[in-house]
């Protein structure tokens, strides 16, 4: 008998640990453990999502006749750690071997590598094949390059998969329509409401459990309606293709008050759990474009996120860990302000992003990067505190994807591994891409007065603090020169 271990974000029927499963003999181990719910104070909706999706996945395995050892969070015998539950299962079931799939976090891989010593049984850790670029593919691509740029990796991925290709050429003649993804949302355009998934009885039971045990964590459970099965997740994606993908191209970077989801897909949480297949999402998007249902800038823009960014950040994570998690190239030291956890701030843009995160465990990319991320960058917040926050508050957050985005893309703490320049912006950018400033306590056109927009003063302070370093970067030299030529009263009070 082989004991097959499936983790909470490995809920795919084609997961490597289940390959060559002998239904008549093998046992699948799944365990809800407190250790994984609390190593950062995860948003209760994230905990509920993972546990509910695990229970639905386990129920589907049982229907297929799979023998299951499923340990619930409130099982009195639960040791509340993965190691403890593995050891208990091995001692009781005495398997010939343990088979599992490589995890998404370095921390868990370290633990898994100790499982053989812990249990005295052979442990096979199989590669996670649910990504489009294997770690070896990424390592080969990265080898010998002085800088790793997503754009070139993305082109390689387009060629390797044939997605959005016309023979050897990119569809439409260009690899990238990024410049067509930057429009502000016009006043008369209302983003369609995404399809929602009201909790079924199984999810309601989980919500009660999570409400009971994690009420003190940041965020509310009230609005929970995430898809918890692959069937539901697919229905959510099809709703996106039908109603929002065509607008995703133009308004990918736009933000609007009271519009938490804009034209975004909301696939990250189910995708990272394994309920959706990234290749299938790209193929279905291409089909919609080829059938004339969505414009090329929308299809390409969306495919770039999945085939490009998602695979790229995973490649960086495994290439550069564990060192990556300690990088702090801008020597940022400030603690995370309390308002990240409470939402109590007069900055309208921050308040929108943080309060919607508390309500939905979701904010779209531009809010994460150009609002909360940008503030953290400009204010010099220490990357450890910022990482913990991002890992805790989003339903889709797992370290392999969170860390390169936060430490790399948002904070530039990796010194330019993920992005060639910091995504630093003053209030002018936020005003250009959103309608937040119109109803803000602060004045976006002022930097130094009592009501001056904090993003303005912080921006110039940031440029000044790092002027020497940025003067060497061709993409940052202009603001450094502007600051040098600016009247002092424009930048400090
Ligand atoms: C500071 C910061 C932290 C982030 N943390 C996470 C995280 O913990 N988990 C996570 O999945 N994404 C993270 N992202 C990336 C991105 O913001 C989210 O994937 C996206 O907002 C999820 O919403 P969506 O599904 O509606 O995305 P859409 O805008 O509809 O994009 C489609 C999909 O593309 C992928 N994608 C887009 N951008 C990225 C990116 N930069 N890196 C990786 N995948 C990407 C995601 O799978 C996403 O679902 C982070 C970005 C930033 C700037
Ligand atoms: S004025 Fe400044 S703080 Fe207020 S919403 Fe605009 S950018 Fe944000």
């Amino acid at each position: 008998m082989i004991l097959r271990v499936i983790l909470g974000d490995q809920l795919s029927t084609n997961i490597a640990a289940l390959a060559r499963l002998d239904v008549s003999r093998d046992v699948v181990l799944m365990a809800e453990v407190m250790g994984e719910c609390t190593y950062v104070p995860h948003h209760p909706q994230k905990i509920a999502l993972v546990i509910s999706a695990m229970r639905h996945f386990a129920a589907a395995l049982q229907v297929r006749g799979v023998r299951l050892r499923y340990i619930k969070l409130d099982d009195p015998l639960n040791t509340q750690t993965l190691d403890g539950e593995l050891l208990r299962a091995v001692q009781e079931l005495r398997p010939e071997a343990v088979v599992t799939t490589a995890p998404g976090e370095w921390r868990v891989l370290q633990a898994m590598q100790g499982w053989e010593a812990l249990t005295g049984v052979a442990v096979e850790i199989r590669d996670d094949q649910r990504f489009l670029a294997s770690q070896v593919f990424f390592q080969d691509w990265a080898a010998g390059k002085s800088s790793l740029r997503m754009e070139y990796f993305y082109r390689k991925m387009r060629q390797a998969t044939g997605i959005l290709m016309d023979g050897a050429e990119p569809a439409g003649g260009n690899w990238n329509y990024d410049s067509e993804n930057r429009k502000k949302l016009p006043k008369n355009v209302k983003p369609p409401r995404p399809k929602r998934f009201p909790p079924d009885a199984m999810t309601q039971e989980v919500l009660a459990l999570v409400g009971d045990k994690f009420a003190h964590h940041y965020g509310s459970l009230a609005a929970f309606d995430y898809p918890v099965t692959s069937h539901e997740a697919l229905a959510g994606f099809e709703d996106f293709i039908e109603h929002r993908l065509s607008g995703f191209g133009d308004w990918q970077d736009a933000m609007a008050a009271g519009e938490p989801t804009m034209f975004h897909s909301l696939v990250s949480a189910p995708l990272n759990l394994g309920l959706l297949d990234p290749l299938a999402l790209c193929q279905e998007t291409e089909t919609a474009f080829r059938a004339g249902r969505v414009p090329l800038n929308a299809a390409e823009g969306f495919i770039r996120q999945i085939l490009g960014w998602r695979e790229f950040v995973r490649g960086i994570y495994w290439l550069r860990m564990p060192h990556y998690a300690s990088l702090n190239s801008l020597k940022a030291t400030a603690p995370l302000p309390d308002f990240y956890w409470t939402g109590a701030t007069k900055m309208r843009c921050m308040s929108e992003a943080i309060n919607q995160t508390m309500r939905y465990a979701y904010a779209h990319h531009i809010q994460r990067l150009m609002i909360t991320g940008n503030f953290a960058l400009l204010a010099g917040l220490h990357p450890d505190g910022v990482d913990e926050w991002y890992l805790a508050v989003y339903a889709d957050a797992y370290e392999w994807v969170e860390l390169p985005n936060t430490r790399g893309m948002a904070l530039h703490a990796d010194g330019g591994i993920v992005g060639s320049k910091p995504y630093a912006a003053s209030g002018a950018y936020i005003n250009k891409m959103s309608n937040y400033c119109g109803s803000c306590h602060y004045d976006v056109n002022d930097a130094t007065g009592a009501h001056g927009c904090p993003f303005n003063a912080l921006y110039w302070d940031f440029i000044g603090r790092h002027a020497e370093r940025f003067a060497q970067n061709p993409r940052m030299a202009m603001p450094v020169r502007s600051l040098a030529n600016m009247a002092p009263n424009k930048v400090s009070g």
Side-chain angles (χ1 to χ4, degrees), residues 104-117:
E105 302 201 349
W106 180 268
R107 170 186 66 86
V108 183
L109 182 62
Q110 298 309 294
M112 266 184 188
Q113 285 168 345
W115 280 1
E116 225 166 76

Side-chain angles (χ1 to χ4, degrees), residues 178 248 251-255 260-266 268 304-305 309-310 313 353 356 362-374 390 394 396 401 404-406 409-410 418 423 429:
D178 197 17
F248 181 86
W251 298 306
Q252 192 176 324
D253 286 2
M255 299 169 279
T261 51
M262 300 295 286
F263 289 84
H264 292 271
S265 67
L266 316 187
S268 55
R304 189 181 343 121
Q305 308 310 317
W309 277 112
R310 185 170 187 267
V313 299
Q356 81 165 64
Y362 177 85
H364 62 73
H365 185 67
I366 295 303
Q367 293 177 304
R368 297 188 204 194
L369 182 63
M370 300 310 296
I371 304 293
T372 44
N374 184 27
Y390 276 99
Y394 290 111
D396 58 24
V401 56
N405 270 299
T406 304
M409 195 185 295
V418 165
Y423 284 89
Y429 171 88

Side-chain angles (χ1 to χ4, degrees), residues 12-33:
S12 317
T13 43
N14 64 346
I15 192 76
L18 292 183
R20 300 180 296 283
L21 171 82
D22 182 345
V23 180
S24 63
R25 297 184 66 225
D26 296 348
V27 174
V28 170
L29 170 65
M30 296 177 73
E32 303 165 2
V33 294

Side-chain angles (χ1 to χ4, degrees), residues 214-225:
F214 304 100
H216 57 290
H217 282 201
Y218 162 103
S220 140
L221 269 179
F224 183 97
D225 58 2

Side-chain angles (χ1 to χ4, degrees), residues 36-44 46-47 214 217-218 391-393 397:
E36 292 302 306
C37 300
T38 54
Y39 68 94
V40 293
H42 296 290
H43 195 301
K46 178 183 180 186
I47 300 174
F214 304 100
H217 282 201
Y218 162 103
L391 193 56
V393 306

